[in-house]
Amino acid sequence: MKIPKLTTHSLTFLIPILIFHQTDPTNAILQVSTKITLSPINLLTYLPRFAHINDTEARQEITHHNTMAWTCSGRSNGELISKMWNARLILSERVRDAMISVDRAHFTPSQHLAYEDSPQSIGYSATISAPHMHASALENLLPFLGEGKRVLDVGSGSGYLTAVMAELVFPSTSSSSSDTSSERPGDVKKKSGKVVGLEHIRALRNIGETNMMKSEKGRKWLQEKKVEFVVGDGRQGWIDPDGEEGWDAIHVGAAAMEIHEALIQQLRCPGRMFIPVEDSKGLGQYIWLVDKDREGKVSEEKLYGVRYVPLTDAPRTISDL
């Protein structure tokens, strides 16, 4: 393949696409552009669509998060996670250990790009997000990803984040991590938990399950029904047929038009949701944390700007029914 010459003009186009759009650039462009390191000032220069945003903290988070991520790609899963740990994109030992335990190559269509810190297309207008975005979601949900918790992964796609969250809910007895940040005073330790990956397209649901089966641990979780992949409208959440109600943690992997009430209702007390939402004024998308306390009071916090594929209806084709 002929590699196009990268001019200043072409960089202005390529950089925001790679960072903020869940896309599948050509291998050559991806390899060249991921070696570029930008300062926060230069990054904002290349992102004119964010220049009008007045939220200073959000802009600082965007620049810090993504400029650090440029240098985190690795040649192996361990190297990728180690670089994110050293760059402080991963802060918890539990998150680090869980991500090391799940080989990202089992969940990406391109094996030689498996350890790039960038999003990749998995088909059906869906992507596997960049590893640093997965790390951010895990860090924010961590207090609700302890042993025995119930977790819903809306828009589970490749199944990667579903698998990492399962590592946190069903920890290995041989784990050496001393991080106990998921424990809360007064919590009753549960004997079992559950992680459900929810997709609106059956083919994507099947991809997630197939990828999970590539590891011995994943096959065991599926056989024991500790992890399940299901088909449904993510905006409505998921009512588990096993009769147990609610979710301690909900992760949404696609941008919603609003924070859907059905998802809030399905949060346990306490519980937390991590969800990208379209800005009501058309200023892009932001990650929101939605917390429900022990009394059922709901609070919402806007974190930082992102770019996700939309949370939508499934296409009504025979293959997807």
Side-chain angles (χ1 to χ4, degrees), residues 8 16 23 34 40 101 105 127 163 177-178 184 217-218 230 241 247 263 289 310:
T8 302
T23 186
T34 51
S101 296
T127 65
S177 174
S178 60
R184 288 169 167 253
K217 191 180 296 184
V230 298
W247 307 98
L263 296 174
L289 280 189

Side-chain angles (χ1 to χ4, degrees), residues 2 66-67 169 247 278:
K2 184 177 180 181
N66 287 291
T67 50
V169 174
W247 307 98
E278 293 282 354

